[in-house]
Each structure stands twice: as structure tokens, then as C-alpha cells.
């Protein structure tokens, strides 16, 4: 495919030998392979038989193989989180975009209840050409960021929270109702989807018109 | 009652003659009477027979009688809205608190998608001792305000919005999940409840300890 | 603002004189003004006093003023609908993007229950650099389109349907769960939001890198 | 019964000895016995005492006894899945229909995000007289298949997915709202129900009119 | 198409002139045209210009044109309702199946709170080869019928009821959870969908094997 | 209390030593003590220290102490279940009513998908003066029974089922919408509540008027 | 029937002539006929042709014919409401029970936010043998009453309220979760159902044992 | 900060070493540190390395460090629970307010089904200047208390309950719909939030006006 999607394996719900078989088959012909939602224990079980150049990122629960890792990356993608508990989802997004050839800037723990932390990072916000906002609980960060910048914002609600967060529903609804311009939403905890879309958007500037 | 609650009539669902009868009966013995959710057409039907000193506030759909209107008011209550469509609910809150003896500062249309509008009003935010935040759609304003001040915040979700706002559910859930300290929530569109509670909190500073 | 957003008035819930006042005020200083969710009857009431060069689009319930209408438009935006009942929302999206300087291709009524209609339009799909997919009921078109192209897809669930569509909830959930890469979702019936985001994405190719 | 229903034991929530007792009692008098939702560990505990001719299908978590296994089977039933994670439910459906005397064709992993995989199997689709479509996440496959064929489609939403799939609710709603003709829906993950209904429909062509 | 689907117009949400234009265009080339969800007032507005041989069925809000009305019909379809308020949906189902060439038996008002009414009609139940069960409120009729017969049952939940029926949700969930074999469900109030599917199933016995 | 309520301990969520302490304290002064939702493992831990005359009912997860067990019991209470998986809840109801001095007739596994099983028990149904109906999945049994008898029916939805049963919600809604006269509903899985209410109703015939 | 049920017509959704026809047919052979959910305008249209001895109760939207109105009534039924807006539903319940031969005591507007109003009526509460509690908003009255008395309580949630009452859902859930003994629940706004059940329970004391 | 908020660590979802590192870092510079949602097992793992003067409260799952513990506390905060299962959440609230310098009175297990228990504590209720009401199941206590006092009430719904409590949703909705004046609500199980807000409100009387 022209736009350089990696091959992707969604490990959740698959048996270790299935994950191994699919990954190794894909690794034969692809320059980029991504395994998402891969728990550390499962990874430990199969790591010896995975391609030697595959790297495991524990926090994001992602294993990534990138045979073009030394290629120059496209700048422009920024990944934000409201809290620290949102970081695993944010890392999934960032690693996905990196595998697709983009340089990703990370700014974590800048939730709206401490606005100064966000406002201190206006440089990064203005520099970005596409922003992934990862937030659970009330999901307000997407609206605030959307109002501060004119770049597209991809909002990822997370299941971080309890009670009336209803496993991410509160953040999801908040983000869908954002009164800021230029905000769209992906599934709860879907860092991979946000990273892919951010990469697709950012890539366009680097294509011939 | 020691804390000076007005008598209140909830007009929604009551027939005009019922509203009239109850209001006039209460007006015989009370110094403050409030009629909420009173539509303009209904008001027009009964205004001639209401107490002459009752004032109708169309935007808030509230009729108020205050026989101590000239008494000094307690400062400290601030009412904010995210958008202009939230103003009727905010006015219901403000008028309620005013009837209970409090001076209310109003700052409207400072939603989070234009953060500068809010930040321009930091003076008012800092001055306030209790803040009512009225917002529909994603309801993010409550969290942002809660993070900026150390006064109690009473959040009022409104049914302003469409689609996945689900008539105020999105704002309600967002406000309940606020990651800021000191935020509590009342029912959707319940300006009256927020105004009452704000007045009760603000009154305490003026009582003997 | 550098990226050429129009001034926008959300007419729903505003009184005719309010709409008129805001619109005329904005029209004094802006080259693009958009009034959304403006019902035909309301428009008829105020049309005489609106700027003479404002155009009303009945199907989209949108009034648009564009003082740069003769400027060359950026190609790349495609708007699709599943059914004919989805067209008003699609038109809101298309008109918004057009006002922001983009040429919009429209392909309507290509829902998945008649796949050949969609497959007949592969040319348009491949040509597009960003695609807005507008669909109610089961919302399946977003996934199918997402699988056929490598351009970003902005999915707009609509409230078209009945019963278990729950006013657009079914389509919303389906789109959020899309197994295709590169799909993000905006609020139910939010053509304006999708059009804005599509324009923002498409604009990036035409900016200096 | 004339239409050859097997005896069925729903193992979920039953103790191993209960499953054993019921199954063995049924096996005394019936030519077909099906045990559904039988976990591998439970099966291992009781297998020595089950009828010797009972076969366990691990993926479908089904144990089946068929004393007419050599009888000619009725062609016409097709079972499709969108993904590989949907296969256990699909196998439950297929094994049920097989036990009821039908030959079942299986076409797995033909979800709509890769439409060509489905279109490559048009032969099988056209051949079928009743089709069971098993899909989680956005459940779009049912609509696409319903539009391609004129055979009845029985849609089985699965709990495959996460976040806003809400354990199969998204797929369920999508399938209920299918804009294609001839689609009906069974409970989430109810492969057994779909297989039974498919067999009942397919059987009718082979009865005397 | 081989299986004789009528052309169908879904009138809800369309303007009278749109309905007229589409219907008349279809009537030029088709032998069967069905207009569903056509309110009496709209019908009155356009009836003079509709094809002269089109018949309006007020209770079902359906206009039907059948140029093969004198053809022999296939027996086998039974349509049941729980209450009298369910009849409009049932008629939509019955008229659809009739237009597709099937003779439809109707048995109305046999809800489970008066079981004898249903048991008195066992003849009709046994005779049927496919049964459409239309019920609102608790939707229990589908399970009871499913247990009494071995024919496929297509369950149509209706929005009849109030309070915790949640516009048909209660009946929908009940039908999806039916413990009887051979029951599948269509959308709330979707008589058209049930009639189409019933006709497709019933038709199979009359095709060459 | 005049109507002979037992003392009751709700064991769920309490530590074993807490259960023990409360139960033993109550057993000092009461003639009837009931411990509900007491898991077998917890019971085993504390049984040695419980009153010697306390009896554990494993299926109902109930421990009961009845110092008037030899008293004559009031006839009139009937407890029905739709399936075998509903029996634990039914037993909780029955044991509660028994402890309150009532003779309870049990008729289990008479769900509506096999109507003859229920109709075979018409004697018991007619004899009863109050009926507890325990059912999960579609919960249809309450309506059918309500239509067959003129005694009050207390419906207990259970969490038995999967998928769109939503842990008992489907049965709950169905029972609340029962079109039969004389049906009221208690919480999902609340056998205790149903048993108490049945006993209270049945007791009234035996009190002096 | 032995227990003296009136014939009942549910007028909602029926045309005036249908209501008239059914009612008059029933009035020929029955001593009690009840028409529920009969709006005043519809009643005015048909009153001239209804039985002369039928009485219309506007607040309850009920028309009742009672040819045994002079018979002695059984004491024991009490109907409570939390607010004045709940009275129509309460009247439907009371009138139903009265038509079935019971004397009904009414105590209205004793909601829990003014507990003294309820406690002032302890006499009536203690006297009652079955209590219907009608409440909207938070529905707390059922629990409080259930704790004060040992008579059975039939709780009727009403749709009175706004916002997060979700048309009666809040009160319904609260009542289902009542921690008081002896509370069962009927559908939202179902005064008829509660009145019928109350009468059935109260009747039992007056039957021969 | 002027109003003396403690530093707070939300332990849920953090690894033991993360909790330890953050807590110890905060303890270097702060006079009050609170760790919430800290399970006993995790606490045991890290207790040796935590500040020596940190105290663990098992029931509340809270570790608290207070270097001003000997300072005089502000009277006025009352924490109530409906049941014993609500105590952990109540203790979280009480400990939070205590850490912020307030004396907290506790009155537990005074749910509305035994009203006398609450009425016996009227002294405490009247004395309080702000009341935290913690209740699960039907959540009725907030309304009853709100009606008895004129102090602000902060309602905390808990997840205590089962079935239709839907993990605290029933209590949450009930509290939001409270018909008593002066009640606001925080998230399900959010004792910390309620304690913080109570302290903020109570503190105001002790500040200079
Ligand atoms: N807008 C409002 N929203 C919620 N509650 C209200 C409102 N207005 C009045 N109330 C409450 O309703 C009570 C009066 O109700 P009623 O006796 O039906 O008129 C007052 O005591 C208030 O507690
Ligand atoms: N159809 C629409 N849907 C959602 N948001 C809109 C729509 N039209 C306008 N808006 C937003 O509403 C804002 C204007 O709102 P207002 O100030 O209330 O007129 C604009 O800045 C847009 O961001
Ligand atoms: N996987 C399944 N899903 C839904 N229903 C099932 C399933 N397996 C069996 N059943 C039904 O459950 C009945 C047996 O239930 P039981 O008597 O509890 O074993 C059968 O008659 C089937 O109708
Ligand atoms: N207000 C009501 N709420 C619920 N059910 C009712 C009501 N009024 C009458 N019914 C029931 O509806 C049945 C009559 O319905 P129908 O035959 O449609 O008039 C009666 O037998 C009652 O069981
Ligand atoms: Mg922006
Ligand atoms: Mg704050
Ligand atoms: Mg794609
Ligand atoms: Mg088809
Ligand atoms: Mg059957
Ligand atoms: Mg009955
Ligand atoms: Mg009681
Ligand atoms: Mg109060």
C-alpha cells in the first residue's frame, strides 16, 4: 500500500501460539509489524521465538518491528494525556504513528484541573499539525485543546475512572459533544486507531500535491 | 426558618389557576415567593391577579416577589455559563440566590473552547466564595473552573446540545467525573437547586460561628 | 486566524432577532459567515434584513455568506451518504467545507445494502484526500469506505432511522467500533463539525511544509 | 418431533455432575444430543463418563453426539464471520445445524473492512439458501451480505470488541437497524440459536409441500 | 430479481412531492410497488396523482400496487399480534408478504395474559410454515409461540406501551432473550422487515430444490 | 413485631467474623434468624461457631434458624421458576416465607417455551393465594401466570442469561410491562424480598379482620 | 370471575369511536367498567353516547361505571403521594380499587423532604392493610413508608420530574432497590396496575379461608 | 495554597513502586499527604518504606500523613451512612476532611427503612454545618436528611447493592432528583470528593469575612 501501513496483530483474545504464528508469517514479508494489546506474560512466553529485531513496549502492551527505523521521520504529531493513567493508551497511539514514519512529541499529565500545566506547553501545541488527546474521567481536555489550536484533534476517551465514568462512556460522550472546532473521536482506549489516523493526516503534507 | 428560604412554587405541570391560588396564598404570609418554570404565556394569563409587587423574569421563566429587596445583600456568589443557550438556567440560579439575600455576579459565555474568555475573568473567579457553573454539551467548564479556584463549585448540567448530548446526560456525566477538587453536581437544568445551595453555602460566613 | 475559519452562528434555540443581530454584526467584519440549523420559516422572517449576498440552502438549513466565493478552491474533499434522508446533514458538511475554501465532491445514496452503487464510484473514492461519510440506521458505510481507501474518514452518524436506532445511537456506536483503519467520529447529525475537520485536514497539503 | 431437533443441554452455570447426569439420561433415548457452552476443563473432568461416541469441539465449546452422522446432509446453510475472534460462535452455529442434518459451508474472516475477501466468495454466497452472519464490533457484515443475496440472513452479534462495543451492544443495534432486506437477529453470542433457526429454514425445502 | 421483491418507498421523512415522484417512476417499470409509513394526510394530498390501481391501507399506513394480484398465492405465512394496538405493524407485515405472493393468515389480539385465546388457535399455529409475532409491552408472545410450534418465528417488538417499555426496548430485549428455539428478531415496529423475511422463507418451499 | 419477621443478615460483602458476630447476637434474642447470600466457603469457615440449630441451604446460599419450626404453617404460597438456573433465587424466596410461618409449594422449570409443563400444574396454580414467579432471560412466565390466575403475582427477574439479558435487565423490563393484572416486581435476584412480601400478603387471611 | 375484576378499556391510542364501541359493548353485560387514560377532549366527544351512569374523573383521566356503587366497601387500602403532581396516577389507582369494592383512604403530598407531613399521618399508615405509594423524582417515599409499616407496599414510580429523572427511571430504580421489607413495584405511571393489585391483596382477608 | 489542601495520591491502577515514589516525594515538602484507594495488600508491601508517621486506615483503604494532627480542628462536618456497607466510602470522606483540619462527627447505619434510627440523631443533624450523606441501593437518605436540616448536603451514592442498583446508578439518579433543597451530588463511591468539598464549605466560616 502506498501509505505505508504496518501489518497489525490484535493480540487480545488470541492464544500465544496463534499470535506467534501470525506475527512470524507477517514478519517474513513486511517491513513494519505491530502487535497490540499484548500482555507482558504472553510476551514473555513467546519472545524467544519472535523476530529478534522486534521490540516490546511494556507500558503500551505493544510489540513493534520496524525495518526502516533509521529513516527520517515526519514531524507534526503531538500526543497529549490528561493523567498518568492515560499513558498506556497514549503510548499505543505514539508507537503506532512512529512505526508509520512520524516523529511523535509526547506531553503527558496536562489535564484541565491544572490548566497551567497545559498552558506551559503552548509551544508544543502550536507546533503540532495533528494532535491526539487521550483522557478519561470527564474527557474535558479535548475541548480545551481544540479551542487553543487550529490543528485537527483526534480525541481518545479512556476507561480511566470509576463510578459514573461507566468505563469511559462519560469521556466518550463529552468528546463527541465538544464545542471546539476540529475534534473527532475514536473508540474508548483505541490508541492504535488514533495513532493510525494521526499518521494518515500528517502524511498528507509530505505527499506530492 | 432561620436561613431565609423563600416559598417556592414549581409551576411546570400545574394549571394556571392552581399556580395563581398557591402563589397568592403564599404571598399573604411570606416576604419572599418564587415561582419557577413559569412560561410567558401562562404568566400573561395570570399576571393581573398576581401580587402587584411580583416581578417576572422572562429569560429565567421565573416570577419573584421580594419584600426585602432593599436589604443589603451578601457578596460572594458567582454564576458562570459556557454558552448563551445556558443563560436561562443560570438566571434561574442567580435569581434564586438573590431572593435569598445574596449579591450575584454573572459571567456568561465563557466556555472552554475559547479559554481566553474565561482567563480574562480571573478576577471575578478569585473573588467568588461559591461558584455555580452552568454548561451543556460536554460540560467541561466545571472541571476547568474547579481547577482554577479553591471555592466550592456547584455544577449544573444543561440540556443544551443535540445528538450524543442525550438531553444533558453527557454534561451530567462529565461533571460527576470532574477531576478537579470541590465540584458537586445538581440535576440537569436545575438552576433553582444550584442557586439555593450556593446561597446556603455563602450564608454561612455571615452567621455567627 | 490563519486557517480561514468562517464565523459561525448556531441558530437552533436562538430567537430570530438574536440570529439577525449576531449575523449582521459578524458580517460587518468577516469575509465568511455561516448560520447553521436555520429553519426555513425563521429564514423567511429575517431574510429581508440579512446581508444581501447571503445565500440560503434549504435542504441543509444553512445560510452562508462568502465574500471570496470566486477564489480557487482546494480539491480533495468527498462527502458520501448512505441514504437520501442523510443528505441534509451531508449538505451541512459540504457547504461548511466549501465556505472554508475547498471543492467538495458529493456522492449520495450509496449505502451498503446495494454495494454496487458504492463500487461504481471507486474513482471518486480513490481521488479523495479526506472523506466525510454520513449514515444513519446501522452506520455500516463508514467501515466499508474505510476499508476501500487509505484517506482519513470522518464518520457522521445521523438520527435517520427508528426503533432501535435510538435517534442515531446505533450508527454512532457502529462507527466508533469500525474495524477499518483511519475512521474517526463526530456527534450525531453534526455535519458542520465534519465539514470543518475535513477542511482542516485537506488544507494542510496546501500549506507550506 | 418431526423436524429432528437434538436434545440440548446448556452447560453454563451447571455443575459437572449435573451436566453428566442430564447428558447421559438424554443419550439413552435420543439420536442427537448437544451440550453447549461446555468449557474444556469441565469437559476433561467428565469425558470418561460421557457416551463414548460423543465428540468435543473445543473452539465452539460444544460436545455433540450424533447417531445419524452418516445420513446424507441437506445442503444450503452458509456460516460467515467478520473476524477470527467470531469463530467460536460461528462454530456453535455450524455444529448445531450439522447435528440437525444440514451440510454447512464455512467462510470465515470476511469482514467489511476488507471487502475483496467477501466479494471473492460470491459463489458461496449465491449458492446458500440461508446465511448465518457472525460479527462483533460494528456488525456491518450483516447489512453488506443482506444486500448481496436474496436468501434469508440470520445475524449473530458477538461480544468481540472493547470500549463502545459495550459487550456486543453496538453490533446488536447495527444488525437490528440493517437497511438490507431479509435480515433478522438473535441474541449476542447465540450461535446455537442461529444454527437452529438456519436448520429449520433450510429444512423446509426438503419437506413435502 | 428472481425472488420477486417489490420496489419499496419508505415515506417517513420524505416530502409529498418526493414520495409521488419516486412512486410514479417505480410504477412505470415494476409490477409491485409498496409505499410504507405513509400517513393518511399525506396520502390524501397525493392520491389523485398516484397510479390509479394503487390501494391505500390506512391502518398499516401502506400504499400498495400489485399488478399480479390475481396470481395464486403461496400459503404458509401466519401473522399474530398480542394486542389490538399492535395491529398496524402486523398489517404492514402481512401486506408486504401478500405483495410478494404469499397468502397470509391473521390472528390478532392473542396476548399471553389470556392464554386460552392463543390455545384456541392452535390449528392456525400448526398449519403455519413461518410465523410473524408482533407484540409490544413485555413481548412474551414470541417465546410462547416459539415453544408451541416448530416453524421459524420472526418476532417484531412494537413501541406499544408506556413507562418502562421505553418505546419498545422491553419487548425487544425480551424477544432477543427468548428461551424458545427458532426465534429471530427485527427492529422495533419493523413490520415491513418481518413481512419480507417471512415471504423469503416461505418462498423456498415453492422453488425447485 | 406482630407479623413475625425474622431477623435477617445480608452476608454479601461482610467479613466472616462480622457475619458470625451479628448472627450470634441476633440468635440470642430471636426465634427466627436468616442469613442470606452466604457462600458455602464462608459458611464452612464459621459453621462450628454458629448456633447448633442453624441449618445451611447450599443452593439458596441461606442459613436459617427457626425455633418455631414445628408450628403449623399457613398454606397458600407457591413459588415457580422458568428454568433450573433460577432455582437458587426461588429457594431463597421459599425459605424466607417458610421461616415466616408459611407452607410453600414449589413448582420449578415450567418456563413458557414448554407451555404444557406449566399447564400440567394448573392445580397448584389455582390453589395458591399468592405466587412468586422467578424467571431470567425474557421473563415471560410472570405474564403467562398472571393471566392464568387471579391471585397476586410477585415477579422476581433473575440475572440468568447472557448477552442482551444485560444481567437481568431484559427480564426486569418484561415483568414491569406485564399486560396481566396483579403483577408486581422486586429487584433482580431478590428472592428474599419476594419471599417476605409473599408471606406478608398470605398472612393477612389468617389475621382477625 | 370470582374476584370481581371490572372490565377495563385502555383508551390511549384508540380512536374515539373504538373506545365508545368497546365500552358500550362491555357495559351491556358487566356491572363494573373502567376506561383508563381517557383524555378530557376525547371524553367530551363521546360522553353523550356513553352509558348515562358512567362517571368521568378528569384528574385521573378515568371513566368508571359501577352498578354496585352502593355495596359496602372493604376497608384497608391506602394511597399515598409524594407530591401534588403525582395525584393523577394516585387517583387512577384509587378509583380502580374502589371499583373493585374497596374503600380507599387518600393521603397526598407527603413526600420525604418534609418528613413531618408523613409522620403526622401515622394513624392512617398503621390502619392500612395494603399501601400504594405513588412518587416521582427520587421515589424515596416507598422506602420510608416500607420501613414504617408492616403492610405490603405497592410502589408506583411516576414520570414526574425532569432531567435525570429520565421520565420516571430514577424513581423506578430507587423503588426496586428499596431496602425496606415488603415493597414491590409496578410500571411507571401504572396507577391502574397498583390499584388492581392492592384490591386483590386486600380482598383476601374478606374471603373465606 | 491558602485553604490547606493535602497532597493526594490516587493509588488505584498504580504499581506499588509508583505509589511509593510519589508518596515519598510529596512527603518531603508537604505537611499533609493522603493516599486513597490503597488496598491492604499493596500497603503491606510498601509500608516499611513509607514515612514512619503515615497511618493506614484499612476500612477506608486510605493512608494519611498529618504533620499538624495536634492542631485544633474546626467543628461542623457530619458524615452519615445508610448502611454498614457504605462505611468505607464514609470513612474516606471523614478522613479527608479531618486531614484538612476539620472535626468530623460520624453517624452510621441510619438508613430510611428504619427512620427512628435517624430521628434519634436529630441533635447531631441540627449541630452540623455541612453534611455528607453516603448511601447505596435506593439512595433515599439524602432526600430525607435534606428535608430535616437547612445545612448543605453533599450526597455520595455508593455501589452497594445488586441487580437494578446497576453499581450505584440507582442511588446516583435518586440523589440527583432529590426534592429536598440544598443537596448536591458527587461521583459514585467518591468519598474523597465529598470530604474535600465538605471541608471547603466548612472552612469558610472560619476565614475572615
Ligand atoms: N426549577 C426547579 N427545579 C427543581 N425543583 C424546584 C424548582 N422549583 C421549585 N422546586 C422545588 O419544588 C418545590 C415546590 O414544588 P410544588 O409544591 O410542586 O410547587 C419547592 O419547595 C422546591 O424545592
Ligand atoms: N450545526 C452545528 N453543530 C455543532 N456545532 C455548531 C454547529 N453550528 C455551529 N456550531 C458551533 O457553535 C458555535 C457558535 O455557537 P453560538 O455562539 O451559540 O452561535 C460555532 O463556533 C461552532 O463551533
Ligand atoms: N448456547 C445457547 N444459547 C442459548 N440457548 C441455549 C444454548 N444452548 C442451549 N440452549 C437452550 O437451552 C435449553 C436447555 O437448557 P437447560 O435445560 O438449562 O440445559 C435448550 O433447549 C436450548 O433451547
Ligand atoms: N392504565 C393502564 N395501565 C396499564 N394497563 C392497563 C391500563 N388500563 C388498562 N390496562 C390493561 O389493558 C387491558 C385492556 O387493554 P385493551 O384491550 O387494549 O383496552 C386491561 O385488561 C388492563 O389489563
Ligand atoms: Mg481548534
Ligand atoms: Mg478547585
Ligand atoms: Mg482505510
Ligand atoms: Mg438480501
Ligand atoms: Mg419453536
Ligand atoms: Mg391474574
Ligand atoms: Mg415494611
Ligand atoms: Mg435542607
Amino acid at each position: 500500500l502506498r501509505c505505508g501501513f504496518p501489518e497489525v496483530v490484535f493480540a487480545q483474545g488470541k492464544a500465544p501460539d496463534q499470535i506467534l504464528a501470525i506475527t512470524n508469517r507477517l514478519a517474513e514479508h513486511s517491513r513494519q509489524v505491530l502487535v497490540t494489546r499484548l500482555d507482558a506474560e504472553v510476551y514473555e512466553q513467546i519472545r524467544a521465538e519472535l523476530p529478534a529485531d522486534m521490540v516490546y513496549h511494556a507500558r503500551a502492551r505493544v510489540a513493534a518491528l520496524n525495518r526502516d527505523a533509521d529513516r527520517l521521520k515526519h514531524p507534526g504529531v503531538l500526543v497529549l494525556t490528561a493523567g498518568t493513567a492515560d499513558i498506556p493508551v497514549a503510548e499505543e497511539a505514539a508507537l503506532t504513528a512512529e512505526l508509520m514514519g512520524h516523529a511523535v512529541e509526547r506531553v503527558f499529565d496536562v489535564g484541565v484541573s491544572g490548566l497551567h500545566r497545559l498552558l506551559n506547553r503552548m509551544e508544543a501545541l502550536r507546533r503540532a499539525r495533528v494532535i491526539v488527546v487521550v483522557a478519561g474521567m470527564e474527557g474535558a481536555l479535548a475541548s480545551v485543546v481544540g479551542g487553543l489550536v487550529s490543528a485537527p484533534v483526534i480525541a481518545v476517551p479512556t476507561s480511566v475512572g470509576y463510578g459514573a465514568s461507566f468505563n469511559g462512556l462519560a469521556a466518550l460522550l463529552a468528546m463527541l459533544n465538544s464545542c471546539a472546532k476540529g475534534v473527532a473521536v475514536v473508540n474508548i482506549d483505541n490508541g492504535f486507531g488514533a495513532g493510525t489516523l494521526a499518521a494518515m493526516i500528517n502524511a498528507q503534507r509530505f505527499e506530492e500535491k
Side-chain angles (χ1 to χ4, degrees), chain A residues 27-76:
Chain A
E28 279 171 39
H29 306 292
S30 306
R31 300 196 62 74
Q32 278 83 28
V33 180
L34 185 70
V35 189
T36 65
R37 308 232 157 182
L38 179 63
D39 285 324
E41 314 84 83
V42 178
Y43 172 67
E44 289 307 325
Q45 277 181 261
I46 61 175
R47 68 183 298 177
E49 292 171 79
L50 283 172
D53 46 353
M54 191 154 229
V55 182
Y56 184 65
H57 303 265
R59 213 157 47 159
R61 294 189 298 147
V62 150
L65 171 69
N66 189 357
R67 290 182 173 138
D68 303 315
D70 50 351
R71 282 224 199 130
L72 202 69
K73 296 209 150 52
H74 294 322

